[in-house]
């Protein structure tokens, strides 16, 4: 199962980056969604982002970095709150998922999100869905509504990698090799793949989904995180 | 010429960067107590991913939460490795294959297929000793560094040979797998020392591999994805090594701990469920072999003979109906025979056309289990016999 999961991330990543050489985004909005509030306060749960920052080693292994990941996760949470505050939407940050059901929801979202990328944006269109955003986390998401008294939740997924010095040398080497012999190995540098979902906690349905892919940008710097979030959240429907 | 020199220079810088060293990275050695890796290290990255995986275990529907069973398995770890007792977390996962695994941060998975197969506490202790050793010897980080170095080396080779060197990937995978098997041998040896030092009967470590080698032969190949035989030494090799080590150690030794009764008591309540799952896999030959092993260990078990009957009935090869009848009848000799044995007996005899015997068996079933959920079905059978 882990191999299949990793393969989907790689596939989604390649696709997202292939969309454009530089940063690119795509979003989908559910046609049937209402985008309204029933609670007295406009409030969105920001579920702890599923995020991993890695080094891309010379040979192409992605080596997770705990220090970068922890720092960026915190910065990202803060940037989302700031963004929502500007829209006069209150946020409930869930900084550390401990509840078993909520952990499962977060993992479910990552799995569903990767499927959306492959089947809604990617080449494997499903005849029953076509381009429609018709995906759900199921009524189990209602637990978040009861717990936090909010109508919506945001789930965030980020995989971000940075080439090591060795990888950069390998990329440079491949360019030289290409010039010398005409053999041009395609050696990728670091990539960013991210997606966010807005989930209606009354139904569990994903009512808005945004995909972001980039071959540049540095989330390790807090100053870049704000720009990243505003790019990611452009077209946010609430 | 300048370009060639540039390429050579880039490859050289790659080599010295440590990501593609010709020399194999050396093992880091034993994990210090109360250790946390430096936050900016590769090891911290692996631990972080392990924490995520562990969150998955904690919230998994497969997690067996029974406090008594968890406490028991944990107590065996603590006997085998008292100094690591606090650092290791046990997650018993309801997966019907023979396996256990260790994360670098001390999260240990124990699959129920293993608990079904162990005959006694000593066998469990040798396996847990092996897993604990992967953790204390920090095998995951060693493996990661070797893979990083090997893939980096492959990159240099690919660049220097204009792509032809990529063919060396097969050799690289072989070398990594061979290293993996060496680490398994090391964990076997280290685990053996831990469990035998705790007083567990060394002969039991060989017993595990004798049974596993036999089962491995009849397990369908498509289930190999769940098998550890590629990354681990062959069960036959582990059997031979363990027999030799056990013989060395047993000379003139005192009483060894086996704890068969304690172990069987601890797993008793789960046995039927684990056997149901094993039967549901549909690899009847392997399951029948497993049951023969278990019955040899517990000749007085009606439950095991009932499952033997179920397997024969389902496999339904030549002679199996007769074997099933014999197994159900043998099960009925013991106090722990499940009511379903009489139903199985009735169905088998009904199919064989032995109406009188089938009627007797079904009547016995309804007498033993008057509230059975399938009572109406069995009454229907009876009305047609």
């Amino acid at each position: 199962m882990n191999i299949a999961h990793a393969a989907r991330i790689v596939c989604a990543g390649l696709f997202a980056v292939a969309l454009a050489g530089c940063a690119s985004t795509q979003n989908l909005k559910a046609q049937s969604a209402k985008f309204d509030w029933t609670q007295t306060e406009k409030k969105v749960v920001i579920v702890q982002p599923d995020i991993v920052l890695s080094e891309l080693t010379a040979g192409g292994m992605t080596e997770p970095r705990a220090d970068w990941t922890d720092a960026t996760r915190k910065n990202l949470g803060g940037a989302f709150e700031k963004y929502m505050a500007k829209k006069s939407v209150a946020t409930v940050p869930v900084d550390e998922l401990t509840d078993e059901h909520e952990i499962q929801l977060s993992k479910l979202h990552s799995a569903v999100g990767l499927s959306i990328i492959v089947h809604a944006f990617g080449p494997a269109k499903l005849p029953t869905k076509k381009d429609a955003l018709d995906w759900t986390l199921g009524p189990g998401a209602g637990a978040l509504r009861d717990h936090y008294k909010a109508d919506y939740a945001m789930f965030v997924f980020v995989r971000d990698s940075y080439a090591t010095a060795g990888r950069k040398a390998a990329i440079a080497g491949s360019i030289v090799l290409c010039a010398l012999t005409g053999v041009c190995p395609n050696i990728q540098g670091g990539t960013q793949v991210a997606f966010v979902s807005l989930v209606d906690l009354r139904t569990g349905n994903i009512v808005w989904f945004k995909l972001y892919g980039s071959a540049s940008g540095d989330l390790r710097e807090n100053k870049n995180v704000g720009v990243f979030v505003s790019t990611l959240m452009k077209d946010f429907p609430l | 010429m300048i370009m060639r020199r540039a390429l050579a220079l880039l490859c050289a810088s790659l080599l010295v960067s440590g990501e593609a060293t010709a020399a194999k990275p050396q093992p880091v050695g034993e994990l210090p107590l109360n250790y946390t890796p430096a936050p900016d290290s590769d090891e911290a990255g692996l631990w972080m991913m392990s924490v995520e995986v562990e969150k998955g275990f904690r919230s998994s529907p497969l997690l067996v939460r029974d406090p008594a069973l968890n406490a028991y398995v944990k107590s065996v770890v603590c006997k085998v490795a008292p100094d690591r007792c606090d650092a290791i977390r046990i997650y018993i996962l309801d997966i019907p294959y023979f396996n256990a695994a260790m994360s670098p941060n001390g999260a240990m998975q124990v699959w129920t297929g293993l608990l079904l197969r162990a005959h006694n506490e000593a066998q469990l202790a040798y396996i847990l000793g092996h897993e604990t050793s992967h953790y204390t010897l920090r095998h995951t980080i060693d493996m990661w560094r070797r893979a990083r170095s090997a893939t980096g080396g492959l990159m240099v080779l690919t660049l220097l040979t204009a792509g032809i060197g990529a063919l060396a990937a097969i050799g690289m995978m072989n070398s990594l797998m061979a290293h993996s098997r060496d680490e398994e041998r090391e964990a076997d040896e280290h685990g053996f020392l831990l469990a035998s030092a705790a007083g567990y009967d060394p002969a039991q470590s060989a017993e595990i591999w004798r049974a596993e080698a036999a089962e491995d032969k009849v397990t369908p190949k498509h289930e190999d994805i769940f098998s550890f035989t590629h990354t681990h030494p062959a069960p036959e090799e582990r059997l031979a090594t363990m027999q030799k080590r056990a013989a060395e150690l047993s000379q003139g030794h005192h009483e060894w701990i086996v704890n068969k009764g304690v172990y069987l008591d601890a797993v008793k309540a789960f046995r039927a469920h684990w056997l149901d799952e094993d039967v549901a896999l549909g690899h009847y030959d392997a399951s029948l072999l497993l049951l023969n092993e278990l019955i040899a260990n517990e000749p007085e078990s009606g439950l095991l003979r009932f499952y033997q009957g179920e397997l024969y009935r389902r496999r339904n090869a030549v002679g199996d109906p007769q074997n099933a009848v014999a197994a159900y009848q043998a099960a009925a000799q013991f106090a722990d025979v499940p009511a379903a044995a009489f139903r199985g007996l009735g169905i088998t005899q009904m199919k064989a056309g032995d109406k009188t015997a089938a009627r007797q068996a079904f009547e016995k079933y309804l007498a033993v289990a008057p509230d059975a959920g399938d009572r109406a079905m069995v009454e229907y059978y009876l009305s047609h016999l």
Side-chain angles (χ1 to χ4, degrees), chain A residues 48 52-53 56-67 69-70 73 96-97 100-101 103-104 107 164-167 169-170 172-174 176-177 179-181 183 185 187, chain B residues 1 3-4 6-7 10 13-14 17 19-20 39-42 44-46 48-49 52-53 55-56 58-61 63 65 144 147-148 151-152 155 158-163:
Chain A
Q48 181 191 25
V52 180
L53 269 66
L56 185 63
T57 70
M61 287 170 68
T62 43
E63 182 167 296
R65 279 285 296 254
D67 50 346
T69 302
D70 286 344
R73 186 187 282 131
E96 186 63 53
L97 283 173
E100 285 168 12
H101 181 71
I103 291 171
Q104 287 289 314
K107 289 185 185 294
T164 59
R167 184 70 176 180
S174 73
V176 175
L177 180 70
L180 271 177
T181 64
V183 177
I187 302 175
Chain B
M1 196 60 197
M3 290 292 250
R4 270 181 204 290
L7 184 62
L10 284 164
S13 75
L14 227 163
S17 73
E19 288 184 57
D40 61 347
S41 64
D42 49 1
L46 292 188
M48 173 183 77
M49 299 311 277
E52 281 308 307
V53 172
K55 270 192 201 165
R58 267 210 309 276
S59 58
S60 170
L63 185 67
R65 293 157 202 269
W144 181 264
R148 187 177 59 201
T151 51
M155 177 61 76
T158 306
L159 291 176
L160 287 179
T161 60

XYZ file of all heavy atoms in Angstrom, chain A residues 48 52-53 56-67 69-70 73 96-97 100-101 103-104 107 164-167 169-170 172-174 176-177 179-181 183 185 187, chain B residues 1 3-4 6-7 10 13-14 17 19-20 39-42 44-46 48-49 52-53 55-56 58-61 63 65 144 147-148 151-152 155 158-163:
614
model
N -4.515 20.155 10.632
C -3.049 20.122 10.547
C -2.593 19.662 9.162
O -2.942 18.563 8.724
C -2.502 19.152 11.605
C -0.993 19.073 11.601
C -0.475 17.924 12.466
O -1.142 16.927 12.709
N 0.736 18.078 12.947
N 5.334 17.317 3.978
C 6.697 16.786 4.106
C 7.619 17.600 3.197
O 7.362 17.723 2.000
C 6.793 15.295 3.703
C 8.230 14.801 3.854
C 5.858 14.435 4.531
N 8.659 18.186 3.781
C 9.711 18.821 2.996
C 10.898 17.868 2.958
O 11.253 17.281 3.980
C 10.138 20.155 3.623
C 9.386 21.403 3.127
C 7.930 21.342 3.530
C 10.037 22.670 3.625
N 16.225 16.355 -2.254
C 16.298 15.441 -3.380
C 17.776 15.102 -3.561
O 18.575 15.977 -3.899
C 15.725 16.119 -4.626
C 15.614 15.257 -5.868
C 14.666 14.090 -5.649
C 15.144 16.101 -7.046
N 18.135 13.847 -3.304
C 19.557 13.483 -3.313
C 20.053 13.292 -4.746
O 19.257 13.227 -5.685
C 19.807 12.180 -2.532
O 19.243 11.094 -3.267
C 19.182 12.239 -1.148
N 21.360 13.189 -4.879
C 21.985 13.077 -6.209
C 21.336 11.974 -7.023
O 21.033 12.148 -8.201
C 23.478 12.807 -6.054
N 21.094 10.841 -6.377
C 20.560 9.689 -7.101
C 19.049 9.715 -7.246
O 18.465 8.792 -7.803
N 18.383 10.764 -6.704
C 16.951 10.899 -6.912
C 16.087 10.411 -5.771
O 14.871 10.286 -5.915
N 16.678 10.137 -4.603
C 15.843 9.761 -3.459
C 15.349 11.024 -2.755
O 16.093 11.994 -2.640
C 16.645 8.907 -2.475
C 16.884 7.497 -2.998
S 18.053 6.565 -1.996
C 17.164 6.343 -0.464
N 14.100 11.021 -2.313
C 13.622 12.165 -1.538
C 13.812 11.842 -0.060
O 13.216 10.917 0.470
C 12.140 12.477 -1.821
O 11.439 11.255 -1.860
C 11.953 13.206 -3.113
N 14.656 12.643 0.561
C 15.025 12.391 1.952
C 14.303 13.398 2.846
O 14.592 14.589 2.795
C 16.542 12.547 2.090
C 17.054 12.268 3.466
C 18.580 12.139 3.455
O 19.093 11.205 2.823
O 19.237 12.988 4.064
N 13.342 12.929 3.630
C 12.537 13.852 4.450
C 13.404 14.641 5.430
O 14.343 14.089 5.996
C 11.598 12.918 5.221
C 11.703 11.588 4.585
C 13.000 11.527 3.872
N 13.063 15.914 5.611
C 13.793 16.747 6.569
C 12.824 17.194 7.656
O 11.894 17.964 7.408
C 14.386 17.972 5.864
C 15.685 17.674 5.131
C 16.870 17.511 6.063
N 17.204 18.714 6.798
C 18.255 19.483 6.544
N 19.085 19.183 5.576
N 18.478 20.562 7.275
N 13.082 16.721 8.876
C 12.176 16.991 9.995
C 12.189 18.475 10.365
O 11.145 19.069 10.636
C 12.572 16.139 11.186
N 13.377 19.090 10.373
C 13.469 20.491 10.809
C 12.712 21.421 9.855
O 11.921 22.251 10.275
C 14.930 20.918 10.985
C 15.805 20.584 9.783
O 15.357 19.792 8.917
O 16.930 21.099 9.696
N 10.329 20.583 7.770
C 8.902 20.244 7.779
C 8.198 20.887 8.973
O 7.134 21.501 8.822
C 8.722 18.714 7.819
O 9.388 18.144 6.687
C 7.259 18.328 7.780
N 8.808 20.741 10.149
C 8.178 21.295 11.361
C 8.013 22.806 11.251
O 6.952 23.358 11.544
C 9.025 20.962 12.603
C 8.882 19.498 12.989
O 7.923 18.866 12.495
O 9.722 19.006 13.755
N 5.381 23.749 8.585
C 4.020 23.408 9.006
C 3.460 24.509 9.901
O 2.319 24.932 9.742
C 4.005 22.065 9.728
C 2.588 21.589 10.060
C 2.596 20.346 10.918
N 2.886 19.144 10.154
C 3.782 18.232 10.498
N 4.500 18.401 11.598
N 3.974 17.162 9.763
N -2.200 19.808 16.151
C -1.643 18.464 16.321
C -2.808 17.497 16.354
O -3.609 17.511 17.285
C -0.825 18.408 17.622
C -0.075 17.104 17.840
C 0.983 16.823 16.769
O 1.821 17.708 16.532
O 0.954 15.729 16.183
N -2.917 16.697 15.311
C -4.001 15.725 15.262
C -3.737 14.619 16.272
O -2.717 13.943 16.198
C -4.094 15.120 13.866
C -4.732 15.970 12.780
C -4.577 15.292 11.433
C -6.201 16.211 13.081
N -8.210 9.867 16.984
C -8.015 8.801 16.004
C -8.858 8.996 14.747
O -8.397 8.801 13.629
C -8.335 7.446 16.632
C -7.248 6.991 17.569
C -7.659 5.810 18.420
O -8.707 5.209 18.112
O -6.940 5.513 19.392
N -10.092 9.405 14.964
C -10.995 9.603 13.829
C -10.496 10.745 12.952
O -10.530 10.670 11.715
C -12.405 9.879 14.352
C -13.421 10.068 13.271
N -13.864 9.025 12.483
C -14.059 11.174 12.826
C -14.743 9.497 11.607
N -14.874 10.792 11.795
N -7.386 11.780 12.660
C -6.181 11.321 11.947
C -6.593 10.563 10.685
O -6.068 10.792 9.599
C -5.318 10.409 12.850
C -4.682 11.222 13.982
C -4.231 9.704 12.037
C -3.993 10.386 15.048
N -7.596 9.695 10.845
C -8.068 8.924 9.691
C -8.659 9.840 8.617
O -8.472 9.612 7.430
C -9.102 7.886 10.131
C -8.504 6.706 10.883
C -7.681 5.785 9.992
O -8.095 5.427 8.899
N -6.501 5.410 10.443
N -5.832 11.419 6.683
C -5.229 10.463 5.752
C -6.178 10.180 4.582
O -5.740 10.029 3.440
C -4.872 9.154 6.481
C -3.682 9.334 7.421
C -3.259 8.023 8.052
C -2.157 8.237 9.071
N -0.896 8.706 8.478
N 19.855 18.678 -3.485
C 21.111 18.836 -2.751
C 22.178 19.326 -3.721
O 21.960 19.357 -4.942
C 21.591 17.477 -2.201
O 21.766 16.590 -3.315
C 20.599 16.879 -1.224
N 23.342 19.686 -3.157
C 24.460 20.107 -4.011
C 24.788 19.000 -5.010
O 25.040 19.256 -6.186
C 25.673 20.420 -3.146
N 24.740 17.764 -4.529
C 25.040 16.628 -5.403
C 24.037 16.528 -6.550
O 24.402 16.261 -7.698
N 22.761 16.763 -6.236
C 21.737 16.692 -7.276
C 21.941 17.801 -8.300
O 21.786 17.594 -9.498
C 20.350 16.826 -6.631
C 19.178 16.673 -7.597
C 19.052 15.247 -8.082
N 17.888 15.038 -8.927
C 17.571 13.863 -9.480
N 18.342 12.812 -9.277
N 16.504 13.735 -10.231
N 24.741 19.162 -9.058
C 25.896 18.768 -9.873
C 25.459 17.770 -10.938
O 25.894 17.838 -12.089
C 26.987 18.177 -8.993
N 24.573 16.863 -10.554
C 24.104 15.852 -11.507
C 23.306 16.502 -12.636
O 23.447 16.132 -13.805
C 23.255 14.812 -10.788
N 23.618 19.637 -13.691
C 24.604 20.333 -14.520
C 25.337 19.323 -15.398
O 25.538 19.553 -16.597
C 25.582 21.092 -13.632
N 25.691 18.193 -14.803
C 26.387 17.151 -15.552
C 25.557 16.652 -16.716
O 26.061 16.419 -17.810
N 24.259 16.520 -16.494
C 23.389 16.007 -17.556
C 23.318 17.004 -18.720
O 23.226 16.604 -19.875
C 21.994 15.717 -17.011
O 21.298 16.918 -16.768
N 25.771 19.073 -19.559
C 27.059 18.961 -20.259
C 27.060 17.712 -21.132
O 27.458 17.740 -22.298
C 28.220 18.920 -19.232
C 29.542 18.672 -19.948
C 28.270 20.205 -18.430
N 26.581 16.609 -20.554
C 26.528 15.350 -21.297
C 25.696 15.515 -22.562
O 26.053 15.038 -23.639
C 25.928 14.255 -20.405
C 25.810 12.874 -21.036
C 27.192 12.261 -21.223
C 24.946 11.959 -20.191
N 25.172 18.231 -24.259
C 25.894 19.031 -25.242
C 26.995 18.198 -25.913
O 27.249 18.328 -27.101
C 26.493 20.259 -24.568
N 27.617 17.327 -25.124
C 28.741 16.536 -25.629
C 28.303 15.430 -26.570
O 28.895 15.216 -27.625
C 29.468 15.869 -24.449
C 30.594 16.620 -23.760
C 31.093 15.797 -22.579
C 31.740 16.879 -24.731
N 27.279 14.701 -26.162
C 26.977 13.439 -26.847
C 25.585 13.402 -27.464
O 25.289 12.505 -28.242
C 27.033 12.270 -25.843
O 25.994 12.480 -24.873
C 28.373 12.203 -25.134
N 23.115 12.617 -25.780
C 22.330 11.815 -24.827
C 21.897 12.756 -23.713
O 22.736 13.340 -23.029
C 23.159 10.652 -24.252
C 22.351 9.896 -23.210
C 23.604 9.728 -25.371
N 19.842 12.823 -20.474
C 19.021 12.254 -19.397
C 18.188 13.347 -18.729
O 18.667 14.463 -18.539
C 20.052 11.666 -18.423
C 21.352 12.285 -18.770
C 21.269 12.811 -20.168
N 16.984 14.764 -15.727
C 17.183 14.717 -14.280
C 16.462 15.902 -13.646
O 16.829 17.053 -13.850
C 18.690 14.731 -13.939
C 19.361 13.538 -14.624
C 18.898 14.663 -12.442
C 20.864 13.491 -14.466
N 36.692 19.448 -25.279
C 37.666 19.095 -24.246
C 37.293 19.752 -22.929
O 37.274 19.119 -21.876
C 39.057 19.567 -24.719
C 40.193 18.925 -23.940
S 40.172 17.130 -24.113
C 41.204 16.675 -22.759
N 34.389 20.794 -22.149
C 33.142 20.187 -21.720
C 33.407 18.868 -21.000
O 32.817 18.574 -19.964
C 32.245 19.933 -22.936
C 31.711 21.195 -23.551
S 30.551 21.999 -22.435
C 29.044 21.706 -23.316
N 34.298 18.053 -21.573
C 34.621 16.770 -20.952
C 35.179 16.976 -19.546
O 34.825 16.263 -18.619
C 35.661 16.019 -21.793
C 35.027 15.150 -22.819
C 36.039 14.381 -23.644
N 35.431 14.032 -24.923
C 34.458 13.134 -25.056
N 33.998 12.485 -24.021
N 33.930 12.887 -26.236
N 34.638 19.517 -17.698
C 33.544 20.009 -16.845
C 32.714 18.837 -16.316
O 32.375 18.775 -15.128
C 32.657 20.965 -17.634
N 32.432 17.891 -17.197
C 31.625 16.732 -16.795
C 32.369 15.921 -15.728
O 31.794 15.533 -14.702
C 31.328 15.855 -18.019
C 30.414 14.652 -17.765
C 29.052 15.115 -17.289
C 30.270 13.811 -19.021
N 32.252 17.768 -12.453
C 30.936 17.690 -11.811
C 30.755 16.323 -11.146
O 30.268 16.219 -10.020
C 29.831 17.923 -12.842
C 29.646 19.390 -13.248
C 28.842 19.482 -14.532
C 28.940 20.149 -12.128
N 32.829 16.179 -8.060
C 32.237 16.927 -6.936
C 31.070 16.146 -6.344
O 30.810 16.169 -5.148
C 31.790 18.314 -7.394
O 30.610 18.219 -8.153
N 30.385 15.418 -7.210
C 29.286 14.576 -6.737
C 29.817 13.470 -5.830
O 29.246 13.148 -4.797
C 28.628 13.947 -7.974
C 27.123 13.992 -8.073
C 26.705 13.715 -9.500
C 26.493 13.021 -7.134
N 30.929 14.849 -2.522
C 29.834 15.413 -1.724
C 29.306 14.392 -0.710
O 28.547 14.741 0.182
C 28.696 15.881 -2.628
O 28.006 14.768 -3.144
N 27.356 11.981 -1.355
C 26.095 11.378 -1.785
C 26.349 10.217 -2.721
O 25.450 9.466 -3.049
C 25.242 12.424 -2.508
C 24.668 13.446 -1.569
C 23.765 14.400 -2.322
O 22.824 13.918 -2.960
O 24.014 15.604 -2.276
N 27.576 10.108 -3.203
C 27.867 9.062 -4.162
C 29.277 8.550 -3.912
O 30.109 8.542 -4.782
C 27.747 9.614 -5.578
N 17.920 17.404 14.826
C 16.760 17.778 14.003
C 17.069 17.935 12.516
O 16.194 17.748 11.684
C 16.308 19.119 14.591
C 17.109 19.366 15.802
C 18.170 18.331 15.930
N 18.317 18.293 12.170
C 18.620 18.519 10.750
C 19.237 17.279 10.087
O 19.773 17.365 8.991
C 19.555 19.720 10.598
C 20.886 19.497 11.308
O 20.972 18.541 12.107
O 21.833 20.266 11.056
N 19.132 16.119 10.762
C 19.792 14.926 10.220
C 18.847 14.085 9.367
O 17.625 14.210 9.462
C 20.314 14.075 11.375
O 19.235 13.615 12.154
N 19.441 13.240 8.530
C 18.644 12.298 7.744
C 17.859 11.362 8.664
O 16.731 10.973 8.373
C 19.538 11.493 6.785
C 20.764 10.891 7.471
O 20.909 11.085 8.703
O 21.575 10.236 6.785
N 16.603 12.054 11.619
C 15.407 12.749 12.130
C 14.289 12.702 11.091
O 13.106 12.586 11.425
C 15.741 14.188 12.486
N 14.667 12.801 9.809
C 13.674 12.722 8.738
C 12.977 11.368 8.724
O 11.751 11.285 8.609
N 13.770 10.305 8.895
C 13.171 8.963 8.918
C 12.277 8.790 10.144
O 11.216 8.180 10.068
C 14.255 7.884 8.907
C 15.087 7.744 7.630
C 15.979 6.513 7.712
C 14.199 7.643 6.406
N 10.662 11.173 11.649
C 9.438 11.957 11.418
C 8.437 11.132 10.594
O 7.244 11.087 10.911
C 9.786 13.242 10.673
C 8.582 14.048 10.221
S 9.043 15.516 9.281
C 9.442 14.808 7.689
N 8.919 10.479 9.535
C 8.029 9.668 8.718
C 7.484 8.489 9.538
O 6.334 8.100 9.384
C 8.747 9.143 7.462
C 9.250 10.226 6.527
S 8.035 11.492 6.115
C 7.132 10.705 4.802
N 4.530 9.513 11.537
C 3.316 9.543 10.722
C 2.742 8.140 10.553
O 1.537 7.926 10.680
C 3.619 10.149 9.344
C 3.704 11.661 9.343
C 2.487 12.316 9.978
O 1.355 12.014 9.565
O 2.675 13.132 10.914
N 3.627 7.205 10.268
C 3.181 5.818 10.103
C 2.563 5.321 11.414
O 1.528 4.659 11.425
C 4.370 4.919 9.678
C 3.984 3.455 9.697
C 4.855 5.314 8.293
N 1.110 7.094 13.723
C -0.233 7.687 13.875
C -1.254 6.827 13.146
O -2.381 6.646 13.603
C -0.247 9.092 13.245
C 0.116 10.213 14.171
C -0.243 11.524 13.478
C 0.501 12.696 14.052
N 0.404 13.876 13.152
N -0.842 6.344 11.985
C -1.711 5.457 11.213
C -2.035 4.188 11.983
O -3.183 3.757 12.021
N -2.017 3.816 15.228
C -2.837 4.156 16.410
C -4.303 4.307 16.054
O -5.183 4.011 16.853
C -2.334 5.468 17.022
C -1.312 5.298 18.115
C -1.385 6.433 19.125
N -1.366 7.745 18.529
C -0.250 8.390 18.182
N 0.915 7.848 18.380
N -0.315 9.587 17.632
N -4.567 4.818 14.848
C -5.956 5.080 14.474
C -6.473 4.012 13.514
O -7.555 4.154 12.967
C -6.046 6.462 13.827
O -5.203 6.539 12.703
N -5.692 2.958 13.305
C -6.081 1.976 12.292
C -7.194 1.061 12.785
O -7.190 0.602 13.926
C -4.872 1.118 11.922
O -5.291 0.040 11.118
N -8.150 0.753 11.903
C -9.173 -0.232 12.257
C -8.564 -1.628 12.456
O -9.203 -2.498 13.020
C -10.131 -0.220 11.064
C -9.583 0.700 10.059
C -8.336 1.325 10.570
N -5.947 -2.213 14.254
C -5.244 -2.289 15.540
C -6.026 -3.149 16.532
O -7.223 -2.957 16.737
C -5.061 -0.874 16.106
C -4.238 -0.781 17.398
C -2.790 -1.166 17.143
C -4.315 0.631 17.975
N -6.810 -3.756 20.102
C -6.670 -2.880 21.265
C -6.783 -3.598 22.598
O -6.663 -2.969 23.639
C -7.738 -1.775 21.195
C -7.505 -0.828 20.041
C -8.792 -0.123 19.618
N -8.689 0.351 18.240
C -8.248 1.547 17.886
N -7.873 2.398 18.809
N -8.167 1.903 16.632
N 19.170 3.192 4.602
C 18.871 4.428 3.865
C 20.148 5.019 3.284
O 20.211 5.405 2.117
C 18.192 5.432 4.804
C 17.841 6.703 4.111
C 18.573 7.856 4.088
C 16.692 6.946 3.304
N 17.946 8.795 3.327
C 16.790 8.270 2.826
C 15.577 6.167 2.936
C 15.814 8.838 2.002
C 14.616 6.743 2.112
C 14.744 8.054 1.666
N 21.452 3.076 0.358
C 20.647 3.291 -0.845
C 20.973 4.657 -1.449
O 21.100 4.796 -2.665
C 19.165 3.189 -0.517
N 21.138 5.643 -0.588
C 21.444 7.002 -1.071
C 22.789 7.004 -1.786
O 22.928 7.573 -2.865
C 21.465 7.963 0.116
C 21.594 9.411 -0.273
C 21.535 10.307 0.943
N 22.591 9.981 1.880
C 22.562 10.290 3.184
N 21.531 10.919 3.695
N 23.568 9.956 3.967
N 22.489 4.970 -5.148
C 21.788 5.660 -6.242
C 22.626 6.834 -6.734
O 22.639 7.142 -7.923
C 20.403 6.171 -5.797
O 20.557 6.924 -4.586
C 19.432 5.039 -5.579
N 23.360 7.472 -5.829
C 24.250 8.564 -6.221
C 25.368 8.044 -7.107
O 25.693 8.646 -8.138
N 24.202 7.438 -10.484
C 24.062 8.684 -11.244
C 25.398 9.051 -11.896
O 25.449 9.405 -13.078
C 23.578 9.796 -10.305
C 23.453 11.147 -10.958
S 22.269 11.170 -12.310
C 20.731 11.182 -11.401
N 26.020 6.769 -14.722
C 25.143 7.076 -15.850
C 25.695 8.245 -16.649
O 25.728 8.220 -17.878
C 23.732 7.420 -15.331
O 23.295 6.355 -14.511
C 22.756 7.604 -16.478
N 26.157 9.282 -15.944
C 26.664 10.472 -16.621
C 27.972 10.159 -17.349
O 28.178 10.583 -18.485
C 26.879 11.608 -15.613
C 25.598 12.194 -15.005
C 25.942 13.236 -13.955
C 24.693 12.794 -16.070
N 28.853 9.401 -16.703
C 30.172 9.141 -17.289
C 30.104 8.195 -18.475
O 30.974 8.187 -19.326
C 31.127 8.583 -16.225
C 31.606 9.603 -15.182
C 32.527 8.938 -14.178
C 32.318 10.788 -15.841
N 29.049 7.357 -18.521
C 28.974 6.386 -19.612
C 27.850 6.733 -20.570
O 27.417 5.894 -21.350
C 28.719 4.977 -19.068
O 27.467 5.003 -18.363
C 29.807 4.518 -18.126
N 27.380 7.972 -20.502
C 26.314 8.441 -21.386
C 25.098 7.522 -21.344
O 24.534 7.158 -22.361
C 26.829 8.584 -22.813
N 24.717 7.144 -20.142
C 23.457 6.425 -19.984
C 23.598 4.926 -19.863
O 22.756 4.268 -19.274
